Amino acid sequence: MNLCVLGAQWGDEGKGKIVDLLTPRFSIVARYQGGHNAGHTVYVGGQKFVLHLIPSGILHEGVTCIIGNGVVVDPHALFAEIDTIASLGIDITGRLLVSDKAHVILPYHRELDVLAEARRGEQKIGTTSRGIGPAYEDKIGRRGVRVGDLADQSNDGALASAVRENVAARNRLVADSHLNWENVLADLRESWPRLQPLVSDTSLYLHRSMRAGQRVLFEGAQGTLLDIDHGTYPYVTSSNSTAGGAATGLGVGPKAIGRVLGVAKAYTTRVGGGPLPTELHGDMGERLRESGQEYGASTGRPRRCGWFDAVAVRYAVRVNGLDALAITKLDVLDGLPEVEVCTAYRCGTEILSEMPSDIVQLAACEPVYETMPGWTEPTRGITKFADLPDGAQRYIRRLEEASGIPAAIVSTGSDRDHTIITDQTVLK
Ligand code: GDP
Ligand code: IMO
Ligand code: MG
């Protein structure tokens, strides 16, 4: 069966580590949305790799990695990433494919991103400033440039006129903008010779590979609560990070997805603006941030930290059809006398067991906590569930119960080997 691995919270759940861990079971790893706003840190034998656009399966020789049509690609960011991982000994030759239908992040998308944030003032989303939102705006507005369009090297073809019109529209809309469309076109044309060998019809490639019996791991970026439709709108990213995005973002049928694994931290983090019901502002928030090293892999921003939010994870179970969880960073909670699990929200006089759609209501919600005893013995690096301290075992069992699905994986450290696999069936 194929498997979709995605974030069940607000991103940075440890998807990169889990995808890297599971990759040997698959022939292909395919990213379906987002762009270089993602930052996936993977440690192998103490060596650190940070992936943004390239799927986290790339560290395994012989595995083909796909950047699907649902992804937005900044060619310069892609080249920089290829160079960085090459310098660490990873060769992508012949095993990285980019969809000809993926949309291109143009140089001015980044500027528009920054300008839009400045206009929002206090209400800013806290984007990664990578131009992700404006690139998707052009895609949905039916004026975007796709990777395959870059093949047109002429001065007066479809690419040139699309760039000319887009730049003219931007100059009209944005005060003091005098961008030269010819420079934008020249930049795109320069990217093509390096991009061309990677570009193909990746939907067809997947179709043929799956028909030949190859297994595919679909890799999500961001997280369920950052999904453009199902997240805490408007404090979201601009793509479908939920499981449905795998079908539209790669050109495969929904039945090809197979099983769905949601990655969730043993607590909660969020980077950027928007409601986070279990956020801890005092010493405990700081304690989680420091022991979890909760600083963004893409932007270095401190992540907001809080207790595990079972309401949010139950919601992720529903909108993604999750079969199981991979619970990461259990070791970060080592040594705490008590741990809390949010099982419901209190909103005025009402107790809510389901995630509200309205973020004004969500922002007014107070978590209803269940307090559990912690554990003093370290869990870091433990590979068998039975070897976990009793308190940690009870905590995981409670998270499973409160989320409504089993934890097939429990991660006890950042390295590949720091992992407990409790249920092989979900991963078969
Ligand atoms: P992603 O965006 O979902 O791939 O997650 P990030 O890579 O942005 O953030 C997760 C961070 O936690 C990375 O630095 C990982 O190396 C680290 N990590 C993953 N699993 C564990 C774990 O079980 N324990 C600890 N201590 N760190 C972990
Ligand atoms: P990974 O894949 C955490 C957040 C940004 C901001 C919002 C919109 O590493 O989990 P954008 O630049 O996408 O328009 O920003 O989404 N965000 C992430 N937060 N992890 C990510 O990716 C994120 N990608 C975007 O902080 O709040
Ligand atoms: Mg990340």
Side-chain angles (χ1 to χ4, degrees), residues 17-242:
K17 169 185 165 160
I18 301 298
V19 168
D20 169 70
L21 172 79
L22 297 177
T23 293
R25 300 162 187 246
F26 298 87
S27 307
I28 300 171
V29 179
R31 257 287 291 277
Y32 57 85
Q33 45 68 236
H36 65 307
N37 50 349
H40 304 158
T41 303
V42 180
Y43 283 91
V44 185
Q47 189 173 13
K48 179 179 176 180
F49 299 86
V50 185
L51 299 155
H52 300 282
L53 262 172
I54 300 176
S56 304
I58 199 75
L59 306 182
H60 294 264
E61 259 177 55
V63 170
T64 301
C65 288
I66 292 180
I67 295 177
N69 58 276
V71 176
V72 284
V73 178
D74 178 331
H76 296 292
L78 178 63
F79 300 153
E81 195 172 332
I82 292 172
D83 292 343
T84 304
I85 62 167
S87 73
L88 297 170
I90 307 295
D91 183 13
I92 59 105
T93 311
R95 58 192 196 91
L96 178 65
L97 306 178
V98 180
S99 167
D100 52 2
K101 291 182 181 154
H103 279 249
V104 179
I105 299 183
L106 299 174
Y108 55 86
H109 286 140
R110 182 190 291 255
E111 289 166 44
L112 288 175
D113 196 348
V114 174
L115 281 171
E117 285 283 87
R119 259 201 317 272
R120 283 176 164 267
E122 293 277 284
Q123 315 298 321
K124 73 172 195 253
I125 309 288
T127 72
T128 58
S129 315
R130 301 287 192 268
I132 304 293
Y136 279 116
E137 280 176 44
D138 277 356
K139 170 178 171 172
I140 300 300
R142 296 170 293 191
R143 55 180 176 266
V145 170
R146 306 202 295 184
V147 165
D149 297 338
L150 305 195
D152 176 0
Q153 291 279 297
S154 66
N155 267 331
D156 50 3
L159 176 64
S161 71
V163 170
R164 194 175 53 235
E165 277 161 36
N166 278 350
V167 170
R170 174 199 185 269
N171 286 343
R172 268 197 310 277
L173 283 170
V174 181
D176 300 325
S177 171
H178 307 287
L179 199 74
N180 180 334
W181 71 271
E182 283 163 320
N183 292 346
V184 176
L185 181 65
D187 178 69
L188 292 175
R189 283 167 51 170
E190 255 173 56
S191 299
W192 181 243
R194 190 162 180 199
L195 206 48
Q196 184 179 25
L198 311 178
V199 176
S200 71
D201 180 342
T202 50
S203 160
L204 183 60
Y205 180 90
L206 280 167
H207 175 74
R208 287 185 176 148
S209 307
M210 290 190 293
R211 212 172 42 190
Q214 297 198 347
R215 296 182 72 201
V216 184
L217 191 160
F218 302 108
E219 178 183 341
Q222 288 80 53
T224 300
L225 281 308
L226 289 174
D227 181 279
I228 184 74
D229 285 288
H230 302 291
T232 50
Y233 189 90
Y235 296 94
V236 292
T237 191
S238 299
S239 62
N240 283 116
S241 45
T242 45

